[in-house]
Every structure is written in C-alpha cells, then in structure tokens.
Amino acid sequence: MKNIVILISGDGSNMAAIVQTAHSQNWTKRLNAKVNAVISNKPDAKGLAIAKDHGIATAVVDHKAFANQANPREAFDAALMVEIDKHQPHLVVLAGFMRILTPAFVAHYEGRMINIHPSLLPAFAGLNTHQRALEAGCQFAGATVHRVTADLDHGPILAQAVVPVLPDDTAETLAARVLTQEHLIYPNAIAQLLT
Ligand code: GRF
C-alpha cells in the first residue's frame, strides 16, 4: 500500500478534496494508495476535525512547543519527521502547510513530497500571492502543484490551473476562485503520481 501523509495548518479544504477524491475514485483498490494520516502544526487547525470525520489518523506537532530550543526550526522539523515516518509515506502532501522547511527535512523527503501554491509559479512565490497579483495588474491568476525542493516554491511543476482576474476582485474573491481550482488539480496530480 502506498501511504499518503498530508500536512496542514488551517482549513484543510485541499486535504478534504484529496480525501474525497481518494474515496470517490477508490484509490485503495485502483491505485493501491491510501491517505493514512493528517498532521498539523497548529492544534486548532479546522482540517483536523474533517480528517477525523473521515476516520483518518490525525496528529499535532505544535511548532510553538519548540520555541525555547537552541534550534527551534530544526527541532520542530525533526519531531515532525518522526511523526510522519510512523506512516512510512510513499508521498508527503503539503496542503496549506504554512511552514518554511529546513534543508534536512526537504532532503529526507526528496522525490516524494509535493506542494500546492496559489499562484502561477514561478510568479509570486511566497506569501500574499493574490494581493500581489492584483497589484501587478495580472489578468490571469491560478495555482500550481509542484515537487518540493530546497528552493522555496520553485520545484518542478506537476500541474497548473488558470483563472481570470475580474475587475472588481479583491484578494479574497480571487483567492476563492483559485481555491476551487486547487481542489481539482491537486487530487488529479496526486492520482497521476500514484499511477
Ligand atoms: C491554499 O490556497 C493553498 O494553496 C495555500 O493556502 C491555502 C490553504 O487552503 N498554500 P486549505 O487549508 O487547503 O483550505
């Protein structure tokens, strides 16, 4: 069985879309793959309850608990790796996981970790993508599924979706339009990788 571990920090709507697609497309039987666990760095992430409702194992590795360590980021990533590796993942899926990863973490999952970013990469890597796209006068925006490499938001592209920017858009309305596409391309990109 190819185990999938999904990392979240918030609403988990991409995670939910992946779980629903895994169910509706019967990934267990068709792809020999299963969403094994959902792990959050935030104890109050809404997505944890959604995962539990689907009978998926959940865990929290709270990054704040490592604040007093000599190397908080490294210590957090090491603890997260232990939690992830309990599931022997074939694929680690970052779905709204709002952490900058250490080189050791990225190296450990090289070739088996992917992310979704709400812009047409390589444009607008980093935060506040929608606001920046509006300020730049973009007529189109979108989302990108990519492999995670040491270069933040710049790994090889696996899938993209494009949406129009409308005249009255705010960062919120544009984000919502992009998110509907994220929910389509992320599960599909994962299914392709597992095929
Ligand atoms: C998505 O837009 C994702 O691309 C970005 O953060 C948002 C997370 O949404 N990194 P959700 O937690 O999957 O609902």
Side-chain angles (χ1 to χ4, degrees), residues 86-174:
K86 285 180 187 170
H87 303 279
Q88 302 189 320
H90 177 86
L91 198 61
V92 176
V93 173
L94 308 182
F97 186 62
M98 303 304 282
R99 296 281 306 172
I100 292 175
L101 306 169
T102 57
F105 187 91
V106 174
H108 184 68
Y109 297 108
E110 183 152 12
R112 53 184 176 133
M113 182 156 63
I114 61 174
N115 182 42
I116 190 158
H117 185 77
S119 79
L120 293 170
L121 291 174
F124 307 121
L127 296 174
N128 301 321
T129 52
H130 307 296
Q131 187 58 38
R132 287 157 63 206
L134 290 176
E135 282 167 12
C138 292
Q139 297 185 0
F140 295 92
T144 304
V145 179
H146 65 96
R147 290 189 185 277
V148 177
T149 62
D151 197 3
L152 180 75
D153 291 336
H154 278 96
I157 291 172
L158 298 170
Q160 285 188 313
V162 179
V163 303
V165 176
L166 301 180
D168 292 335
D169 264 341
T170 62
E172 288 71 30
T173 59
L174 181 55

Side-chain angles (χ1 to χ4, degrees), residues 27-44:
W27 285 4
T28 312
K29 198 159 170 230
R30 283 189 42 247
L31 302 175
N32 196 34
K34 183 172 184 278
V35 179
N36 252 64
V38 172
I39 303 174
S40 171
N41 66 308
K42 293 199 174 175
D44 58 352

Side-chain angles (χ1 to χ4, degrees), residues 9-27:
S9 297
D11 288 352
S13 69
N14 277 292
M15 176 274 297
I18 294 162
V19 168
Q20 276 152 20
T21 304
H23 184 69
S24 65
Q25 295 183 350
N26 201 354
W27 285 4

